[in-house]
Amino acid sequence: MQITEQWIQSHAPSPAVAEEGRALSEAGSFAVRRRAEDGKTYWAACAGSARNPYYVSVDWTLSEDEPAYSCSCPSRHVPCKHVVGLLYEIMAGKPFEAGELPSYVWKLRAKQAAEKARAEERLERARRHNAVAREKKIERQLEGLDKAEKLTNELLRGGIDAISTTLPVQSLERLAVELGNSDLPGARDMIARIALIERRVRQEGADARQGRGDMLRVLSRLRAMIARSRIYLKEQLAAGSYAMEEPMLYEMLGGEWNNDELRAVGLCRKNARLIQLSFDVSYDEARRAHIERGFWAELTRGEIVQTVNTRSAKPLAGGAADDSCFSLLDVGELFETPILPCRRVWWDGEVAQEIAPEDLSALRERAISVAEAARAVAQQLREPLLPDCVPVLVRVGRVGHVGELPVLEDAVGERLALRDRRADGAERASVFRLGELPEPPAEGDALFGLAFYDETDGRYCLQPYSLIRADTIVRLQF
C-alpha cells in the first residue's frame, strides 16, 4: 500500500486531526513499531496523556482501499490522531520490525470479517425474500404504466385545454391513488400534480395559460418516464433481477436504497466532512407531505450533496425532524445515491465541530464561474427526468443591477440574473434579502443557490440561498 500525504489527508476525519497525527510522528511518540510479514498490517505503541501508551494498528488485510483502524484511546474520531500518526510513521519510511500479530489486531480482524459476513448474509436473505415477490411487483407496475400512458394519450389527443370536459379532477386523483398502489410513486406524484394544477385553475382562478404550460411540462416528463420505465422493467423481468443500473427510474419505481448494497457498490464513503449551505421546509400539496431539504458542501471531494426528509402532512411534530445545522460535521459513514449531479446522502455517526476559516476558504475556492453554472443547467435540461434546476456555488465578482434586473457578475464579467423561482413559492423568496445585508456581497465571496433557465425571457438565473464570506455563511432562507 502506497501511503502519501494526500492519502492521509483524505482519510483523516479533519485537517486538525491530521496535523495532530503528524505532530505525534515528528515528536517521536511511537515505539515498538512492528509489521506483518506481508506488509499489510502495522502496529505500534504511542505515548499519550495516559500513564500507559496507546496501542495502535492499521490493517489492510480485508480491504486495500479502506483499512481497519484500532486504538486503545477513548477518542470518538476514526481514525484518531494516534492512528494518523502511525500512518505518518509508515509514510516516512521509519523502521518497522516484522513480528507476530498482537491479540488486539486479531480481534479487530475477526470483528471486521464478522461484520462483512453479516452484511453479505443480510443481502442474500433480502435477495431470496424479494425473488418471489419481484415478478408480481413488476407485472403490477407494467399494468399501472399502461393506465398512465392511456391517460397521457387522451390528454394530448384532446388538447390540454379540454381536460375539464374529458377528465374530471376526481378521476385524476383516483388514478394517482391506483398508481401508488401499483408501486409507481413517480407516476403517482406526476398525476397528482396535474390534478392539483387543474383544480387551481378551475376552482381558485389561477392563471390558466401558466397552468397549462406547467401541466404540459409534467406530461412531457411523465411520458418520458413511462417509456423508459417499461423498457427497464421488462429487462429486469427477463434478467430476474431488480438492479440499480438506472438509478432515477429505480427511485421512481419505488426502489429503496439499502446501506449494505450501497457499501457493496462503492457508494459509501468513510470520514466525510460536511457543511450545510442551506435548509428549508416546504409543503408539497400534490404529495401531501412536508419536504425538509438541506444542501451541503462535502469538503473532501468538493461536491454539493443534499439531504431530503419527506414527512407526512399529519402532525409535523411526529417523528424525528431535520433542522438547520451551523457546525461542521465529521461523518463516519456517508451513504449516497448514484443520481447526479446532486447526490442525496445520509449518514451514520457524526461529530460536530466549529467551522474554521480555512474550511470557508476551501469552500469559496471551489466556487464555479457563471459560464460553468449556465452549462450545468443546459446539460441537466437534456435529461427530462431530472429537476429543472441545479444547486451551484458561484464565484462573486460583484452584485448589482442592470436596469431593474438584479444580477451576479463573476470575475470575468459574465452575468447571471438573480431571480426567485416560481416553483419555490413566495414564502421562500430570497433575492430581496441580498439588498438588506449590512455589507453587500464582495469580490471573492460565493453565492450558493439553485440555477435555472427561465423560459419567460430566456435567461439563465440563480435563486440565492446563502452567501459564503471569508468568516461566515449568511443564510438567505432559514
Side-chain angles (χ1 to χ4, degrees), residues 46-58:
C46 179
S49 55
R51 176 184 301 177
N52 296 319
Y54 298 122
Y55 297 100
V56 189
S57 72
V58 182

Side-chain angles (χ1 to χ4, degrees), residues 406 418-421 424-437 447-450 452 462-466 474-478:
L418 296 174
R419 182 173 292 170
D420 296 316
R421 295 176 66 242
D424 265 9
E427 69 277 4
R428 285 193 283 174
S430 57
V431 173
F432 76 94
R433 292 195 174 98
L434 286 172
E436 296 180 343
L437 296 176
L447 271 178
F448 168 75
L450 298 185
F452 62 101
L462 176 73
Q463 174 165 6
Y465 277 25
S466 59
V474 180
R475 308 283 185 106
L476 302 173
Q477 288 280 336
F478 282 66

Side-chain angles (χ1 to χ4, degrees), residues 121-196:
E121 183 183 350
R122 286 195 300 268
L123 278 176
E124 184 56 35
R125 191 164 54 243
R127 291 189 186 105
R128 289 197 302 267
H129 176 75
N130 292 334
V132 177
R134 186 183 300 122
E135 185 172 338
K136 291 182 178 179
K137 177 180 179 180
I138 292 178
E139 290 173 354
R140 192 164 60 245
Q141 289 175 316
L142 288 170
E143 290 175 5
L145 290 174
D146 289 339
K147 293 179 183 178
E149 185 175 47
K150 181 180 178 182
L151 168 74
T152 58
N153 290 339
E154 285 180 12
L155 291 178
L156 293 172
R157 272 198 306 270
I160 297 293
D161 290 327
I163 186 172
S164 57
T165 57
T166 59
L167 262 173
V169 172
Q170 292 83 352
S171 298
L172 293 170
E173 291 172 339
R174 281 196 297 272
L175 177 59
V177 173
E178 288 182 35
L179 294 176
N181 293 336
S182 298
D183 296 303
L184 294 170
R188 174 201 63 201
D189 293 345
M190 289 185 227
I191 296 295
R193 207 163 301 285
I194 291 172
L196 176 62

Side-chain angles (χ1 to χ4, degrees), residues 32-51:
V32 198
R33 289 186 295 266
R34 299 286 186 270
R35 63 172 177 83
E37 289 286 355
D38 61 7
K40 292 185 177 180
T41 311
Y42 293 79
W43 64 96
C46 179
S49 55
R51 176 184 301 177

